[in-house]
């Protein structure tokens, strides 16, 4: 059985659906990619798994867990106010598609449905205290913007020893020594000095290393990284990707890698899930996906990237329109307004995800394949 | 797997190569010529009496030229001075030293009214399409504004030009009454481009024109920039950190590091045969969307971060991160030399 199995995950913010039935699995020690353009639901999916979404209520009437828990994996020493201001949760955007909210409660927070089974336990139905204990210990997360995930007024060292104390019971010198070891592990030179410094004294790349150090402090079995290199320069990105690759190899940590960069996917992932408008439209082992991309959206993404490994005059074949041109999944294929291969069949109802190892959600691809 | 490349055997003992006497003769006179451009920002300290305690050498002696109808791509990491260079070329930033000529006119010598009028020949497209458009102006006003400033045309003529320009960037004329926030990121960038086009400039400086956009939209905007270049006979200076984007758009490329060019060549040359260690490292850092390539690709992982441009390292500025660095690199600044026809590089060695 998979380490993490997400089944039919749905997240809605009032009338706006962010995640519309996402399913995928992460096996022990594997790197699984979630790839797609902005707004397709990558971050919301990961926040839902981590129980970090603002107040949720469930169709079955279970209680909503506390909001301050969304203070990253780092739950910094600064306490609740730092946690509250954490922008881990994207700010509320304009409502886009609405899907049937039958029987679902509406409110400012997120409505979460479905299952996220981690090691046999559905995380979505765990009481918040139990979830908080797991977070940082069994699963940990790294965000795109390391500066806002760290507490600006607390030295790096204390932010790490906090986690070590809470989850591993390490105190005093022992915790400091371990913190220093962790910084060394993620490639920060002169760790003893860095422990006394504040986040603003570190470069973006070093802050991201600190976050990774905190995330791996308790040897979690699953690490979720949400665009961890998007804000970094390409040479620093290369350093961080190398570090993640190394962690996965040496510690056997499973990694859920969220990115919009197909190059990062190709270099790091074992399995890939391509998301469009809140659903997985194609999933496959990484080599299979790049060798035989099947869904028109995946094909379109690949045709949109200028590549260093192809001749210079290779034309770009962009996808037309934008993600705002969308229809509701229950009415047909959400990609239909932008798809070159659209037919009437595509909007005659919900396209199903077909296939096992290499799956796709396209009625036309079915006929081709 | 990172590789720590070995220093070229015996290269240190070889005298640094001399610059070729005659540079390749360009076919036409360049439209844009920049000579030894410097932009230094003073660092001020003090409460009662402000003193200048140093300078950020954002641009520290950059020379390049762009042929009419050509595209020069300037690439480098954050903070290396790309934007400052672009702004100084357009005189949006006052150069500390150096000269900029556009079509034979010396931009750096223009003052007052003459400079103001000259600006219609050179325009800028920004990274953040929303931040560069006044949110309270509808598209009609946004597009007419540059014309009004330069006193071009009547109301009707301006409107006609706006509709033509919108058409050129692929937007219907019905958008004239709409406001920036009503558009998607890609549409806003089309608006930003339309605005830059309104005065039918000779040169457009595009500062990170696609980096805020989604992958599929990036491709649309890159294709649009290509089409517009032919249609309006534009010359581009494209500034970007994405090497693949720069390669796709440019016919000539300059790589910048800490305020200086370290390598400059035709696009095909620089990507096929990078000569500077920094260019090699940059290229090797870009992940390719192909698992087969990724599995075997040689990666040069640079150590550490970019040093501060206020206090660049002695000798070669790249030496603190360069895998090939030798003693001479800390002592002697490498010459900007022509290593092959039309291919310039600032490194002591031939790699
Ligand atoms: N007005 C200013 N005053 C002082 N320093 C400045 C000013 N503008 C830029 N700098 C500094 O000059 C250097 C170059 O900045 P610039 O914005 O040109 O870099 P860039 O290459 O465009 O980077 P990015 O890729 O992040 O846009 C940086 O160190 C920056 O902090
Ligand atoms: N707190 C929130 N309130 C309302 N809508 C949200 C919230 N967070 C995200 N959304 C919406 O959910 C969708 C998916 O967002 P997100 O998961 O952040 O996308 P991405 O794939 O870029 O990470 C988007 O339409 C976004 O606008
Ligand atoms: S189902 Fe139809 S519209 Fe959707 S991706 Fe396939 S061909 Fe295109
Ligand atoms: S001159 Fe600079 S780039 Fe060349 S080997 Fe020395 S340090 Fe590296
Ligand atoms: Mg996101
Ligand atoms: Mg810039």
């Amino acid at each position: 059985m998979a380490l993490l199995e997400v089944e039919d995950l749905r997240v809605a913010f009032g009338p706006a659906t962010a995640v519309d039935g996402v399913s995928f699995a992460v096996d022990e020690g594997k790197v699984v990619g979630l790839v797609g353009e902005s707004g397709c639901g990558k971050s919301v999916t990961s926040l839902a798994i981590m129980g970090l979404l603002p107040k949720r209520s469930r169709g079955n009437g279970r209680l909503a867990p506390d909001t301050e828990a969304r203070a990253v994996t780092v739950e910094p020493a600064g306490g609740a106010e730092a946690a509250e201001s954490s922008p881990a949760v994207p700010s509320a955007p304009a409502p886009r598609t609405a899907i049937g909210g039958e029987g679902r409660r509406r409110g400012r927070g997120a409505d979460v449905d479905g299952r996220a089974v981690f090691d046999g336990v559905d995380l979505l139905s765990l009481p918040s205290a139990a979830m908080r204990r797991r977070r940082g210990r069994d699963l940990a997360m790294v965000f795109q913007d390391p500066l806002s995930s760290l507490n600006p007024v607390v030295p790096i060292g204390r932010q790490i020893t906090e986690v070590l104390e809470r989850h591993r019971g390490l105190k005093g010198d022992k915790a400091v020594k371990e913190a220093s070891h962790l910084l060394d592990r993620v490639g920060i030179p002169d760790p003893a000095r860095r422990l006394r410094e504040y986040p603003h004294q570190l470069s973006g790349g070093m802050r991201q290393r600190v976050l990774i150090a905190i995330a791996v402090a308790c040897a979690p079995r699953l690490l979720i990284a949400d665009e961890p290199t998007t804000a970094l320069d390409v040479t620093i990105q290369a350093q961080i990707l190398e570090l993640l690759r190394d962690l996965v190899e040496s510690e056997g940590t499973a990694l859920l890698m969220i990115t919009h960069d197909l190059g990062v996917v190709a270099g790091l992932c074992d399995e890939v899930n391509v998301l469009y408008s809140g659903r997985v439209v194609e999933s496959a082992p990484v080599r299979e996906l790049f060798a035989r991309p099947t869904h028109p959206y995946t094909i379109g993404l690949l045709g949109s990237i200028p590549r260093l490994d192809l001749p210079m005059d290779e034309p770009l074949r962009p996808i037309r329109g934008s993600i705002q041109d969308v229809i509701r999944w229950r009415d047909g294929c959400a990609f239909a307004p932008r798809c070159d291969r659209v037919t009437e069949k595509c909007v005659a109802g919900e396209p199903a995800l077909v296939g096992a190892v290499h799956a796709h959600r396209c009625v036309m691809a079915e006929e081709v394949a | 797997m990172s590789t720590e490349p070995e220093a070229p055997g015996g290269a240190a003992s070889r005298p640094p190569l001399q610059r070729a006497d005659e540079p390749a003769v360009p076919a036409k006179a360049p439209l844009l010529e920049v000579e030894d451009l410097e932009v230094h920002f003073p660092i001020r300290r003090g409460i009662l009496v402000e003193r200048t305690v140093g300078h950020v050498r954002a641009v520290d002696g950059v020379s390049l030229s762009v042929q009419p109808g050509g595209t020069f791509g300037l690439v480098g990491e954050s903070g290396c001075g790309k934007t400052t260079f672009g702004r100084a070329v357009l005189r949006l930033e006052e150069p500390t030293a150096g000269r900029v000529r556009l079509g034979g006119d010396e931009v750096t010598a223009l003052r007052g009214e003459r400079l103001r009028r000259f600006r219609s020949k050179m325009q800028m497209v920004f990274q953040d399409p929303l931040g560069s458009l006044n949110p309270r102006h509808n598209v009609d006003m946004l597009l007419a504004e540059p014309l009004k400033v330069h006193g071009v045309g009547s109301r009707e003529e301006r409107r006609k030009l706006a509709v033509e320009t919108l058409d050129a960037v692929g937007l219907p004329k019905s958008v004239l009454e709409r406001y920036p926030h009503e558009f998607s990121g890609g549409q806003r960038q089309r608006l930003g481009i339309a605005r830059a086009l309104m005065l039918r400039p000779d040169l457009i400086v595009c500062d990170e024109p696609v980096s805020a956009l989604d992958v599929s939209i990036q491709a649309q905007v890159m294709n649009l920039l290509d089409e517009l270049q032919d249609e309006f006979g534009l010359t581009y200076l494209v500034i970007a950190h994405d090497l693949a984007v720069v390669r796709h758009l440019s016919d000539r490329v300059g790589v910048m590091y800490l305020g200086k060019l370290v390598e400059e060549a035709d696009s095909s040359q620089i990507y096929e045969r990078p000569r500077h260690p920094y260019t090699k490292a940059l290229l090797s850092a870009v992940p390719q969307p192909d698992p087969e390539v990724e599995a075997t690709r040689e990666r040069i992982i640079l150590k550490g971060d970019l040093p501060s441009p206020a206090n660049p390292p002695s000798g070669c500025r790249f030496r603190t991160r360069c895998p090939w660095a030798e003693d001479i690199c800390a002592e002697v600044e490498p010459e900007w030399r022509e290593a092959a026809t039309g291919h310039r590089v600032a490194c002591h060695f031939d790699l």
Side-chain angles (χ1 to χ4, degrees):
Chain A
M1 212 187 75
L3 176 65
L4 172 73
E5 203 143 350
V6 175
E7 287 164 39
D8 202 27
L9 179 72
R10 289 164 196 272
V11 182
F13 299 92
T17 300
V19 175
D20 195 5
V22 161
S23 304
F24 63 90
V26 182
D27 283 327
E28 197 98 45
K30 289 284 190 242
V31 184
V32 174
L34 279 189
V35 61
E37 294 176 277
S38 62
C40 71
K42 305 182 294 294
S43 297
V44 170
T45 298
S46 58
L47 293 169
I49 297 166
M50 293 292 289
L52 294 174
L53 282 172
K55 198 177 70 154
R56 71 177 194 237
S57 54
R58 308 239 313 166
N60 57 13
R62 245 184 290 253
L63 277 179
D66 51 346
T67 336
E68 67 263 40
R70 81 179 127 106
V72 198
T73 44
V74 192
E75 278 159 59
E81 73 276 37
E84 270 311 327
S85 63
S86 160
V89 179
S91 57
R96 204 163 34 90
T97 15
I99 61 144
E102 289 93 351
R104 229 175 272 166
R105 265 192 264 153
R106 305 209 157 170
R108 257 178 21 97
D111 293 305
V112 181
D113 253 318
R115 283 151 55 85
V117 181
F118 180 83
D119 202 15
V121 178
D122 179 14
L123 299 175
L124 302 187
S125 53
L126 272 186
S128 59
M131 188 62 213
R132 214 173 312 134
R133 270 197 304 279
R134 287 187 170 253
R135 202 166 37 228
R137 195 190 61 199
D138 296 338
L139 356 72
M141 187 154 170
V142 176
F143 295 92
Q144 170 174 347
D145 178 5
L147 190 55
S148 52
S149 307
L150 291 165
N151 189 329
V153 297
V154 177
I156 300 295
R158 239 180 82 206
Q159 304 198 42
I160 305 177
T161 52
E162 267 285 298
V163 178
L164 292 171
E165 187 171 338
R166 188 168 59 237
H167 290 299
R168 286 173 54 185
L170 293 180
K171 291 214 172 72
D173 276 357
K174 271 207 180 122
V176 174
K177 232 175 128 196
E178 177 65 10
S180 167
H181 168 74
L182 281 166
L183 287 190
D184 188 51
R185 174 77 187 80
V186 297
I188 293 184
D190 199 0
R193 177 167 64 92
R194 293 297 178 187
L195 286 177
R196 292 190 296 271
E197 294 190 341
Y198 292 85
H200 72 91
Q201 292 172 284
L202 273 58
S203 68
M206 265 202 263
R207 282 179 211 131
Q208 198 56 285
R209 285 172 195 268
V210 169
L211 271 199
I212 293 173
I214 294 173
V216 301
C218 305
R221 296 170 68 193
L222 174 68
L223 179 64
I224 302 182
D226 188 356
E227 311 241 18
T229 60
T230 303
L232 305 175
D233 269 322
V234 57
T235 60
I236 310 298
Q237 161 169 294
Q239 295 171 354
I240 299 291
L241 291 178
E242 191 77 359
L243 171 61
L244 289 173
R245 217 174 266 129
D246 180 49
L247 281 174
V248 168
E249 252 164 50
S250 60
E251 325 281 328
T253 315
L255 175 63
L256 178 59
M257 182 73 184
I258 294 175
T259 178
H260 66 272
D261 187 332
L262 285 168
V264 170
V265 169
L268 197 62
C269 298
D270 302 308
E271 307 271 333
V272 195
N273 299 281
V274 182
L275 255 65
Y276 191 79
S277 193
R279 275 198 190 179
V280 174
V281 293
E282 183 160 9
S283 71
V286 70
R287 280 169 194 261
E288 168 69 17
L289 185 95
F290 284 88
R292 273 170 294 280
T294 305
H295 194 279
Y297 176 61
T298 314
I299 296 169
L301 273 185
L302 284 165
S304 296
I305 354 181
R307 296 174 58 152
L308 294 175
D309 57 341
L310 293 181
M312 279 183 66
D313 47 13
E314 189 76 16
L316 297 180
R317 289 172 308 272
I319 306 171
R320 66 164 181 260
S322 77
I323 53 165
Q324 287 167 333
D325 309 315
V326 76
I327 61 175
R328 299 178 299 185
W329 277 112
R330 61 167 178 178
D331 295 335
C333 174
F335 187 59
R338 304 178 69 190
C339 184
D340 286 336
R341 287 162 64 184
V342 61
T343 64
E344 271 152 40
K345 240 179 115 178
C346 306
V347 287
E350 218 166 315
L353 192 67
V354 296
V357 176
H358 186 165
H360 58 75
R361 193 186 292 281
C362 171
V363 292
M364 299 311 288
E366 255 170 277
E367 289 177 358
V368 177
Chain B
M1 350 119 243
S2 66
T3 48
E4 292 283 330
E6 278 175 24
S13 50
R14 234 184 292 136
L17 292 170
Q18 287 304 304
R19 181 189 180 145
D21 284 337
E22 285 297 306
V25 186
K28 294 174 275 185
L31 178 82
L32 175 70
E33 264 185 294
V34 182
E35 247 174 69
D36 287 322
L37 194 71
E38 289 181 12
V39 185
H40 294 181
F41 297 107
I43 310 170
R44 299 217 164 83
R45 291 270 159 70
I47 304 162
L48 291 175
V49 185
E50 262 200 355
R51 311 171 283 135
T52 300
V53 295
H55 285 91
V56 177
R57 292 145 84 168
V59 178
D60 207 16
V62 172
S63 306
L64 56 84
S65 58
V66 192
Q67 297 300 314
T71 301
F72 192 104
L74 198 56
V75 66
E77 289 176 285
S78 182
C80 71
K82 307 180 295 295
T83 299
T84 307
F85 177 82
R87 290 175 53 84
V89 164
L90 300 188
R91 285 282 299 275
L92 297 170
E93 205 77 71
E94 218 34 62
T96 311
R99 295 202 299 180
V100 176
R101 274 191 297 273
L102 186 73
D105 291 305
E106 182 146 350
V107 184
T108 26
L110 296 175
R111 299 278 175 275
E113 178 59 19
R114 286 194 55 217
L115 173 62
R116 204 185 61 85
R117 265 190 283 145
F118 199 80
R119 284 194 196 285
S120 66
K121 295 190 183 184
M122 30 184 217
Q123 293 290 309
M124 190 143 179
V125 168
F126 300 89
Q127 165 173 4
D128 170 16
L130 194 55
S132 64
L133 300 170
N134 186 333
R136 283 181 301 275
H137 287 183
N138 67 17
V139 172
D140 195 13
M141 290 150 89
L142 285 170
L143 294 186
E145 195 202 67
L147 297 180
K148 275 196 203 155
V149 168
H150 287 273
V152 178
S154 66
R155 223 193 117 99
E156 287 67 45
E157 283 164 338
R158 289 200 290 262
R159 180 123 188 162
K160 186 164 160 282
L161 204 58
V163 173
E164 275 173 30
T165 310
L166 282 175
D167 185 55
V169 302
L171 290 173
K173 85 173 195 222
S174 59
V175 306
L176 280 169
E177 309 307 324
R178 290 166 61 190
Y179 290 82
H181 72 265
E182 297 175 49
F183 295 93
S184 69
Q187 287 172 320
R188 276 183 211 131
Q189 195 53 292
R190 285 174 196 270
L191 282 180
I193 294 169
R195 193 170 137 96
L197 274 177
M198 283 300 282
L199 288 160
R200 302 295 184 258
D202 300 324
L203 174 75
I204 297 188
V205 175
C206 305
D207 188 4
E208 302 279 4
V210 300
S211 59
L213 306 173
D214 265 323
V215 174
S216 69
I217 311 298
Q218 287 196 357
Q220 294 175 1
V221 171
M222 279 192 270
N223 281 356
L224 175 66
L225 286 172
D226 262 346
E227 287 160 24
L228 294 174
Q229 181 158 43
D230 294 341
E231 191 175 341
F232 295 95
L234 297 167
T235 303
Y236 289 140
L237 174 62
V238 173
I239 294 171
H241 69 277
D242 186 320
L243 285 120
V245 166
V246 166
R247 177 177 182 251
H248 188 81
L249 288 174
S250 321
D251 36 55
R252 219 166 151 78
V253 173
V255 181
M256 239 177 129
Y257 189 78
L258 281 184
K260 278 189 182 273
L261 281 182
V262 296
E263 184 163 4
E264 186 205 347
D266 283 348
S267 211
S268 53
Q269 277 298 309
I270 214 162
Y271 287 93
E272 251 164 56
R273 177 142 177 24
R275 288 167 183 269
H276 195 279
Y278 180 59
T279 315
K280 288 178 194 280
L282 270 183
L283 280 170
S284 91
V286 182
Q288 308 296 319
D290 181 343
E292 314 290 338
V293 174
E294 280 299 287
T296 55
R297 189 164 62 86
E298 184 199 22
R299 297 187 174 93
I300 304 170
I301 307 281
L302 291 180
K303 281 175 289 201
D305 288 315
L306 212 65
S308 155
N311 189 16
S314 65
C316 174
R317 292 174 181 214
F318 185 54
R319 71 170 166 84
T320 54
R321 300 172 79 199
C322 180
W324 285 272
E326 304 214 1
D327 292 345
I328 185 183
C329 304
E331 289 148 27
V332 184
E333 180 162 0
E335 242 183 303
W336 181 233
R337 62 187 171 89
E338 189 150 5
T341 308
H343 196 143
R344 293 190 194 86
V345 61
C347 173
H348 288 308
F349 308 116
D350 255 329
L351 298 170

